[in-house]
């Protein structure tokens, strides 16, 4: 089943047993290395990129899990993802991807809202823009525009 279908059906790929309700960095390391019940939830992905389904990320750069995995991400759709990339590298990948997509999205939204003459920044579902930009148009009292 594709990740798209899983997301729409509400399928969660993380353990639901009560003993897995609490997690910490130490528990994560101990459980991954010693608990065979978790194997069905573990994925190995060195190209994993943080996304909206990422719940938590733990860094193990100084003391890698299983001797080689520097980061563990808990992802609603993918499960427990082990990566040889550090959390810093994962964040850089997200930012490179997000900034490129965000700029295109930002320009389109600014045009639709009629504020493309201002310097805008889109973060999630809110478009922020400066009221101090040079322009022939004036918008009074509007500092942000909710995009819901």
């Amino acid at each position: 089943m594709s990740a798209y279908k899983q997301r729409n059906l509400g399928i969660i790929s993380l353990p639901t047993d009560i003993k897995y309700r609490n997690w910490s960095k130490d528990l994560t390391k101990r459980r991954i290395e010693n608990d065979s019940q978790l194997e069905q939830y573990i994925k190995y992905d060195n190209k994993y990129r943080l996304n909206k389904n990422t719940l938590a990320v733990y860094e193990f750069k100084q003391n890698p899990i299983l001797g080689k995995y520097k980061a563990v991400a808990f992802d609603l759709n993918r499960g427990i993802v082990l990566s040889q990339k550090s959390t810093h590298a994962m964040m850089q990948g997200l930012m490179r991807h997000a900034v490129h997509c965000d700029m295109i999205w930002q320009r389109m939204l600014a045009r639709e809202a009629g504020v493309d003459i201002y310097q805008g920044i889109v973060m999630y579902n809110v478009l922020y823009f400066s009221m101090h930009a040079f322009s022939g148009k004036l918008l009074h009292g509007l500092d942000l525009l909710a995009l819901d």
Side-chain angles (χ1 to χ4, degrees), residues 15-75:
T16 56
D17 193 341
I18 196 161
K19 73 178 188 176
Y20 298 116
R21 189 168 287 175
N22 296 312
W23 290 87
S24 69
K25 187 173 178 179
D26 293 333
L27 274 175
T28 299
K29 184 170 177 57
R30 196 171 334 129
R31 286 176 177 165
I32 289 173
E33 292 180 337
N34 301 317
D35 191 341
S36 60
Q37 290 181 333
L38 282 181
E39 287 178 18
Q40 62 184 329
Y41 300 102
I42 296 175
K43 305 285 185 284
Y44 303 91
D45 186 355
N46 293 327
K47 295 181 181 179
Y48 181 77
R49 187 170 39 206
L50 303 178
N51 62 71
K52 67 180 182 175
N53 296 313
T54 306
L55 296 175
V57 182
Y58 291 111
E59 174 84 49
F60 294 96
K61 190 174 179 180
Q62 302 301 324
N63 188 10
I65 290 181
L66 303 174
K68 61 182 176 179
Y69 298 103
K70 297 177 185 174
V72 175
F74 287 81
D75 187 292

Side-chain angles (χ1 to χ4, degrees), residues 2 15 17-20 43 73 79 81 84 89 94 97 119 121 147:
S2 73
D17 193 341
I18 196 161
K19 73 178 188 176
Y20 298 116
K43 305 285 185 284
V81 182
Q84 292 178 342
L94 170 68
H97 175 68
Q119 195 68 291
I121 298 171
L147 303 172

Side-chain angles (χ1 to χ4, degrees), residues 72-91:
V72 175
F74 287 81
D75 187 292
L76 281 174
N77 291 336
R78 301 282 316 279
I80 301 170
V81 182
L82 275 64
S83 177
Q84 292 178 342
K85 289 192 323 187
S86 67
T87 57
H88 179 75
M90 286 182 182
M91 184 57 77

Side-chain angles (χ1 to χ4, degrees), residues 76-147:
L76 281 174
N77 291 336
R78 301 282 316 279
I80 301 170
V81 182
L82 275 64
S83 177
Q84 292 178 342
K85 289 192 323 187
S86 67
T87 57
H88 179 75
M90 286 182 182
M91 184 57 77
Q92 283 182 326
L94 170 68
M95 294 310 291
R96 269 194 302 272
H97 175 68
V99 167
H100 175 70
C101 293
D102 210 29
M103 289 176 71
I104 295 166
W105 179 242
Q106 174 181 319
R107 287 182 189 134
M108 183 189 76
L109 290 173
R111 250 182 260 120
E112 283 186 28
V115 294
D116 53 331
I117 50 173
Y118 299 97
Q119 195 68 291
I121 298 171
V122 175
M123 293 183 73
Y124 300 104
N125 63 340
V126 179
L127 169 62
Y128 297 92
F129 58 92
S130 169
M131 294 298 292
H132 302 290
F134 176 76
S135 166
K137 292 184 184 178
L138 291 176
L139 293 175
H140 297 286
L142 184 61
D143 285 327
L144 60 94
L145 177 64
L147 303 172

Side-chain angles (χ1 to χ4, degrees), residues 2-22:
S2 73
Y4 177 77
K5 286 182 183 177
Q6 285 181 352
R7 185 170 42 253
N8 288 335
L9 293 174
I11 296 171
I12 297 175
S13 298
L14 291 169
T16 56
D17 193 341
I18 196 161
K19 73 178 188 176
Y20 298 116
R21 189 168 287 175
N22 296 312

